[in-house]
Amino acid sequence: EDLVVWQRLAADPNLLSSFISNSGIEIIILILTHPNIDIISAMLSLIVEITESDFLNDIEDAKSFIELLISNSIFDRIAETLYKISPNDEDASQYYSDILGIFENFVDVYEKSADLIGGTKAIEWMLQMIRSSSNVNSADIAEGDVCLFCSEVLAMLVQFSDENKKKFAKMEGVPILVNVIVNIKENTN
């Protein structure tokens, strides 16, 4: 019920200062460590909304807000969530999309966050998802969409961070992508 009340924040940026002064950021981080993925998911949806550029354009000091989220280790908690989600969960694609959307939103408004996201296990997870995409059949559109979104966010992370470029190369990201492309091409012929 409390999470539903928090959704009001996304609708009214004027509530942000009160949200922050009432330990809202700390509570977000705490909820991201909750064992129930449904509760985490509700928080992920809120984070997606409050990190979108439309929301951030409506608040006074968006940069400070973003930096406050970052200083509270939001990327670590979110990346940990990637590994809590069961791929067999019927809502897994939505959970993954929310997480990738959060990463995308942060990089869009604060390019330096690409380094911080790259410092988590997010890149490893994205490459794993992309690698698995060559096994996705056409009936599993949702998983294919997640893999596509992974590739888009991964491209942003590599584009805006020299460290991520090195990490991507060290993890043999290019051969992984080439293999996926070859597999997809072979399966479509």
Side-chain angles (χ1 to χ4, degrees), residues 104-172:
E104 180 180 46
N105 289 347
F106 269 94
V107 175
D108 277 346
V109 298
Y110 192 70
E111 288 179 9
K112 292 179 183 178
S113 62
D115 278 327
L116 301 170
I117 295 166
T120 69
K121 294 188 179 215
I123 290 178
E124 292 92 335
W125 180 86
M126 288 180 222
L127 282 172
Q128 180 182 357
M129 286 298 290
I130 292 167
R131 183 183 298 126
S132 72
S133 71
S134 62
N135 300 323
V136 174
N137 63 41
S138 59
D140 198 352
I141 303 297
E143 188 173 341
D145 288 346
V146 170
C147 293
L148 179 61
F149 201 0
C150 280
S151 66
E152 292 170 4
V153 173
L154 183 58
M156 290 177 73
L157 295 178
V158 171
Q159 177 183 356
F160 294 114
S161 168
D162 290 337
E163 285 303 311
N164 290 345
K165 287 175 185 143
K166 292 174 190 172
K167 187 173 189 176
F168 181 75
K170 186 176 180 179
M171 296 177 66
E172 299 187 9

Side-chain angles (χ1 to χ4, degrees), residues 24-37 40-41 43-44 47 68-85 95-96 98-100 102-103 106 116-117 119-122 125:
I25 302 298
E26 294 82 0
I27 294 169
I28 285 175
I29 301 304
L30 184 62
I31 290 173
L32 290 173
T33 65
H34 197 280
N36 184 326
I37 195 66
I40 294 171
S41 172
M43 185 52 65
L44 292 172
I47 297 168
L68 185 59
L69 287 167
I70 290 170
S71 69
N72 278 277
S73 304
I74 193 162
F75 298 133
D76 292 323
R77 299 298 81 77
I78 291 173
E80 290 167 5
T81 301
L82 287 167
Y83 292 94
K84 290 181 184 177
I85 300 168
Y95 302 155
Y96 293 145
D98 283 347
I99 291 171
L100 293 167
I102 293 166
F103 290 156
F106 269 94
L116 301 170
I117 295 166
T120 69
K121 294 188 179 215
W125 180 86

Side-chain angles (χ1 to χ4, degrees), residues 6 15-27:
W6 284 26
L15 298 174
L16 186 63
S17 61
S18 177
F19 175 77
I20 292 170
S21 65
N22 287 300
S23 303
I25 302 298
E26 294 82 0
I27 294 169

Side-chain angles (χ1 to χ4, degrees), residues 49-91:
E49 292 184 45
I50 64 174
T51 58
E52 287 180 345
S53 60
D54 289 344
F55 180 87
L56 294 172
N57 289 336
D58 289 340
I59 62 175
E60 258 183 59
D61 195 359
K63 184 177 179 185
S64 293
F65 172 61
I66 291 296
E67 290 173 346
L68 185 59
L69 287 167
I70 290 170
S71 69
N72 278 277
S73 304
I74 193 162
F75 298 133
D76 292 323
R77 299 298 81 77
I78 291 173
E80 290 167 5
T81 301
L82 287 167
Y83 292 94
K84 290 181 184 177
I85 300 168
S86 167
N88 299 325
D89 187 315
E90 66 183 46
D91 295 321

Side-chain angles (χ1 to χ4, degrees), residues 133-136 177-189:
S133 71
S134 62
N135 300 323
V136 174
L177 295 178
V178 169
N179 285 333
V180 168
I181 292 168
V182 168
N183 286 337
I184 292 171
K185 185 172 177 153
E186 287 174 354
N187 290 332
T188 59
N189 289 335

